[in-house]
Amino acid sequence: MADQIPLYPVRSAAAAANRKRAAYYSAAGPGPGAERPSRYQLEDESAHLDEMPLMMSEEGFENDESDYHTLPRARITQRKRGLEWFVCGGWKFLCTSCCDWLINICQRKRELKARTVWLGYPEKCEEKHPRNSIKNQKYNVFTFIPGVLYEQFKFFLNLYFLVVSCSQFVPALKIGYLYTYWAPLGFVLAVTIMREAIDEFRRFQRDKEVNSQLYSKLTVRGKVQVKSSDIQVGDLIIVEKNQRIPSDMVFLRTSEKAGSCFIRTDQLDGETDWKLKVAVSCTQRLPALGDLFSISAYVYAQKPQLDIHSFEGTFTREDCDPPIHESLSIENTLWASTIVASGTVIGVVIYTGKETRSVMNTSNPKNKVGLLDLELNQLTKALFVALVALSVVMVTLQGFVGPWYRNLFRFLLLFSYIIPIRSRTLMSFLL
């Protein structure tokens, strides 16, 4: 049966199609006396088919399409970068890039490495690991005021009012009282700072509540109550049913006779189905809980990663002949921010704080910008363009006599009431 199947069906079909196409165009071409080369010539069949891929993936089509469409658009975007790009938001991009550059210089990221964790002996850890504390706050005591002001003045609406208010300190440009400009702007900033301070305090209270949650830590002398923020790499932590797992751990023992348990991961990956976790067989077979300190064992874990669906490691027990080696997978792990759904579990901590899967997959908190805020910002830009045009017309009617550039700026200040700050005040109350 297999002998009857042609070895090259695609090659024969392609060859037949090429012969028909050649016959068609040779018949439709010029007469026999003309030696004009045909527009459609056949290439070498074997070379053409050997170079042809057997299958084109969807990624290949996407790459080909991007080669024809994305690259020319990128060149056009680069040509448009100029004064218009700077006014429409380029200055904000430059400020953000400079701030990120300074932050990267001041905060050098520590290189993540694989680690060896001894059961119940945190002091044997060769490297210093981060504290097991959760911090969702956006600012601290020193960066609160500068951070809030930056988030406000990165919008053209607030920056415009700031420039207009600062211009009144120049005697040649002063056209009114200072409080008429600074009082509305100060009121808007005060409301914004107060609102941000309340939100930041609420985040601080939630973080403090989570970090202060008590857990049972297994030691040589027995169980000890410790806070979640005081848990270290290598500690043996006991987690009860319906209790949140404080850090990333390797599953050692459980109160269930089957040696497995279920956990809820809806707060980690959004899935409502319970996940089955299996304890390490070597530690699960120990007669008593205190026998974890009577053995000499350690866990070799890979470096911290973002992937919550994979894990590579080994469990080694050295005090027996021959030593016991057991490979570990994702089924032997208990990730932080998950909840134990059945039984009581005991695990050894391998990742804490910023190195846990849940924290590494959490993005930094950002300020939420409403549609009303964006619409008012765009409307302010349009009104500012009309304001500049109107000021140029007034200077033109004067014939550019004297210091016309100063008169132009004074007209801008006189017509600045076209953009009312009351809209910004109302928006601060709504948001």
Side-chain angles (χ1 to χ4, degrees):
M1 185 68 181
D3 298 336
Q4 299 178 1
I5 299 176
L7 296 179
Y8 303 98
V10 178
R11 183 184 294 268
S12 60
N18 290 336
R19 286 194 296 270
K20 291 181 181 180
R21 190 180 297 108
Y24 172 79
Y25 287 111
S26 61
E35 296 181 358
R36 180 180 178 182
S38 176
R39 180 180 177 183
Y40 303 91
Q41 296 180 355
L42 295 178
E43 299 178 356
D44 185 15
E45 178 186 350
S46 60
H48 178 70
L49 291 177
D50 291 340
E51 296 176 357
M52 181 183 299
L54 296 179
M55 182 177 295
M56 178 66 73
S57 62
E58 296 180 359
E59 183 180 359
F61 287 106
E62 293 177 358
N63 293 337
D64 294 341
E65 184 179 358
S66 62
D67 292 339
Y68 288 99
H69 298 283
T70 306
L71 293 179
R73 292 177 182 175
R75 298 190 187 99
I76 294 174
T77 304
Q78 292 178 357
R79 294 193 193 101
K80 289 184 177 180
R81 288 193 174 184
L83 182 60
E84 181 182 357
W85 173 81
F86 182 81
V87 173
C88 294
W91 59 274
K92 182 170 63 177
F93 173 77
L94 294 177
C95 293
T96 305
S97 302
C98 293
C99 293
D100 294 340
W101 178 70
L102 292 175
I103 291 175
N104 293 332
I105 292 178
C106 298
Q107 299 179 354
R108 294 183 179 179
K109 294 183 179 180
R110 186 172 62 90
E111 183 181 359
L112 301 178
K113 298 180 181 179
R115 61 193 62 184
T116 300
V117 180
W118 292 86
L119 271 63
Y121 296 97
E123 61 274 4
K124 289 186 178 182
C125 294
E126 299 177 355
E127 298 181 359
K128 186 178 180 180
H129 303 291
R131 296 182 66 250
N132 190 46
S133 59
I134 297 177
K135 184 179 180 181
N136 294 319
Q137 304 174 44
K138 296 189 293 184
Y139 313 104
N140 54 34
V141 179
F142 302 100
T143 61
F144 177 72
I145 297 298
V148 174
L149 294 180
Y150 168 75
E151 292 294 335
Q152 294 300 315
F153 290 119
K154 72 179 182 179
F155 290 99
F156 181 81
L157 175 63
N158 297 331
L159 184 63
Y160 167 77
F161 291 124
L162 178 64
V163 173
V164 171
S165 301
C166 291
S167 66
Q168 297 305 298
F169 290 104
V170 181
L173 302 177
K174 187 175 181 181
I175 60 175
Y177 296 101
L178 289 178
Y179 68 86
T180 59
Y181 291 90
W182 283 99
L185 182 61
F187 177 76
V188 171
L189 293 179
V191 172
T192 303
I193 292 175
M194 186 179 301
R195 184 190 60 191
E196 288 292 334
I198 294 174
D199 294 341
E200 192 73 5
F201 181 72
R202 291 177 179 175
R203 284 190 288 266
F204 171 76
Q205 286 183 328
R206 289 194 296 266
D207 294 344
K208 185 179 179 180
E209 181 180 357
V210 174
N211 294 329
S212 301
Q213 189 175 0
L214 296 178
Y215 291 89
S216 297
K217 175 183 174 181
L218 188 63
T219 62
V220 180
R221 300 178 180 179
K223 298 180 181 179
V224 179
Q225 295 291 324
V226 294
K227 295 182 179 180
S228 177
S229 58
D230 296 334
I231 294 177
Q232 301 177 2
V233 174
D235 289 342
L236 298 178
I237 304 299
I238 302 175
V239 185
E240 304 290 341
K241 182 180 179 181
N242 296 327
Q243 194 174 15
R244 185 186 67 89
I245 298 177
S247 58
D248 291 351
M249 303 188 300
V250 171
F251 189 14
L252 299 180
R253 290 178 62 87
T254 178
S255 59
E256 301 292 331
K257 296 181 179 180
S260 60
C261 72
F262 288 93
I263 62 172
R264 300 198 299 267
T265 62
D266 50 345
Q267 296 185 5
L268 181 64
D269 54 10
E271 298 181 2
T272 57
D273 297 337
W274 292 4
K275 303 296 189 305
L276 177 65
K277 298 296 180 179
V278 182
V280 178
S281 59
C282 180
T283 54
Q284 180 66 25
R285 290 195 302 263
L286 295 176
L289 186 62
D291 294 337
L292 291 172
F293 291 94
S294 63
I295 64 175
S296 177
Y298 64 87
V299 172
Y300 179 79
Q302 63 179 171
K303 65 179 182 180
Q305 296 181 357
L306 294 172
D307 192 3
I308 63 176
H309 301 292
S310 65
F311 176 76
E312 295 179 1
T314 55
F315 176 86
T316 304
R317 180 177 177 180
E318 293 183 332
D319 59 342
C320 57
D321 191 20
I324 299 177
H325 300 280
E326 185 175 347
S327 61
L328 303 177
S329 63
I330 187 62
E331 296 180 352
N332 307 116
T333 58
L334 301 172
W335 296 146
S337 299
T338 58
I339 299 176
V340 179
S342 63
T344 302
V345 301
I346 303 173
V348 56
V349 178
I350 54 176
Y351 306 125
T352 56
K354 298 179 180 179
E355 296 179 348
T356 58
R357 294 292 202 274
S358 59
V359 176
M360 295 183 68
N361 285 275
T362 302
S363 58
N364 296 326
K366 299 180 180 179
N367 287 344
K368 297 181 180 180
V369 181
L371 296 177
L372 179 61
D373 199 347
L374 296 176
E375 291 180 0
L376 286 176
N377 194 55
Q378 297 296 331
L379 181 61
T380 303
K381 293 180 181 179
L383 293 176
F384 178 74
V385 173
L387 180 63
V388 172
L390 183 59
S391 301
V392 171
V393 171
M394 297 301 296
V395 173
T396 304
L397 294 177
Q398 290 182 349
F400 295 94
V401 178
W404 60 270
Y405 52 88
R406 186 172 61 184
N407 295 334
L408 176 64
F409 202 90
R410 290 177 65 89
F411 278 119
L412 289 174
L413 296 176
L414 289 173
F415 296 140
S416 62
Y417 293 99
I418 295 178
I419 306 176
I421 198 173
R422 290 188 299 272
S423 60
R424 183 66 182 93
T425 306
L426 176 62
M427 185 177 60
S428 299
F429 280 109
L430 293 178
L431 300 179

